[in-house]
């Protein structure tokens, strides 16, 4: 398998992290976002949306980080990471939607302001970040994992941008449940770190 990625993309990290957690051999292909390689014709043939990550599994092309997580779990038959039963699958899907929605428009955008000078407004995205973090904090009360009694792809999908939220001036000190959950993910066999950037509260 080949993963087209960038080390500062949280979307790319979640795909890379899951490949590593599953111990799947893969090749990392760096896409230079600064040079806008993701908007060039060669890359757009892989993903017309012009976004990383993209997974190439012997010619089967999977775009979108959450779709990659689902594909890998299904491909390897890992029902521990993606339950087959209706209730379990729905619980995971709920948090995949949060990763694509509130996390993308909260902690991810807040971080983009400091890491990539993105034109978002801190006074809007930082409060949005805390709103979803408060919900995650409550969901983790008296439980170790977000969607089941074990880690699932929901935890993988949420991890990267939550872990690096301080880079976007989003303080995690008020969220002990989240900080414990981050530590549990980081202790999983095969964990790979999301590259740190010394900006914001992480400077």
């Amino acid at each position: 398998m080949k993963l087209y990625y960038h080390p500062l993309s949280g979307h790319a990290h979640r795909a890379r992290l899951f490949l590593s957690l599953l111990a799947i051999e893969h090749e990392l292909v760096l896409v230079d976002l600064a040079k806008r390689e993701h908007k060039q014709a060669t890359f757009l043939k892989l993903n017309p949306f012009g976004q990383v990550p993209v997974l190439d599994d012997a010619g089967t092309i999977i775009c979108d980080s959450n779709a990659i997580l689902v594909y890998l779990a299904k491909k390897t038959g890992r029902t521990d990471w993606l339950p087959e039963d209706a209730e379990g699958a729905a619980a995971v899907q709920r948090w995949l939607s949060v990763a694509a929605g509130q996390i993308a428009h909260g902690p991810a955008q807040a971080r983009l302001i400091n890491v990539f000078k993105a034109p978002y407004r801190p006074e809007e995205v930082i409060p949005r970040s805390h709103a979803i973090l408060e919900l995650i904090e409550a969901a983790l009360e008296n439980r170790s994992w977000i969607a089941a009694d074990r880690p699932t792809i929901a935890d993988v999908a949420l991890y990267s941008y939550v872990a690096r939220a301080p880079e976007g001036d989003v303080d995690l000190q008020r969220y002990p449940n989240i900080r414990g959950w981050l530590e549990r993910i980081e202790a999983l066999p095969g964990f790979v770190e999301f590259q740190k950037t010394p900006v914001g509260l992480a400077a």
Side-chain angles (χ1 to χ4, degrees), residues 3-7 28-40 43 46 50-54:
L3 181 68
Y4 293 81
Y5 89 117
H6 189 278
L28 293 174
V29 181
L30 177 64
V31 179
D32 193 332
L33 302 184
K35 293 183 178 179
R36 297 187 61 77
E37 285 185 4
H38 57 304
K39 301 300 183 183
Q40 302 304 311
F43 186 82
L46 294 173
Q51 299 170 332
V52 294
V54 173

Side-chain angles (χ1 to χ4, degrees), residues 78-132:
R78 294 298 297 270
T79 57
D80 51 339
W81 286 98
L82 178 57
E84 291 286 353
D85 66 285
E87 184 178 358
V92 168
Q93 180 57 56
R94 176 196 183 194
W95 291 105
L96 294 183
S97 296
V98 170
Q102 292 99 318
I103 292 295
H105 295 100
Q109 287 187 350
R111 177 178 170 273
L112 287 173
I113 295 170
N114 289 339
V115 176
F116 291 108
K117 310 303 179 188
Y120 300 114
R121 296 165 62 90
E123 62 270 25
E124 294 176 358
V125 297
I126 292 176
R128 281 207 301 263
S129 300
H130 284 295
I132 186 55

Side-chain angles (χ1 to χ4, degrees), residues 7 13 16-17 159-160 164 186 190-196:
H13 177 260
R16 183 187 179 197
L17 173 58
Y159 171 81
S160 306
R164 295 292 172 265
E186 290 160 5
F191 174 81
V192 290
E193 187 177 53
F194 182 19
Q195 183 171 315
K196 296 177 180 177

Side-chain angles (χ1 to χ4, degrees), residues 9-70:
S9 163
H11 289 77
H13 177 260
R14 68 176 63 140
R16 183 187 179 197
L17 173 58
F18 196 42
L19 282 163
S20 184
L21 291 173
L22 294 180
I24 296 175
E25 289 190 14
H26 58 280
E27 176 188 348
L28 293 174
V29 181
L30 177 64
V31 179
D32 193 332
L33 302 184
K35 293 183 178 179
R36 297 187 61 77
E37 285 185 4
H38 57 304
K39 301 300 183 183
Q40 302 304 311
T42 301
F43 186 82
L44 291 174
K45 289 180 181 178
L46 294 173
N47 183 3
F49 286 83
Q51 299 170 332
V52 294
V54 173
L55 183 71
D56 181 350
D57 181 13
T60 297
I61 305 299
I62 309 297
C63 306
D64 180 84
S65 58
N66 288 344
I68 291 171
L69 300 184
V70 171

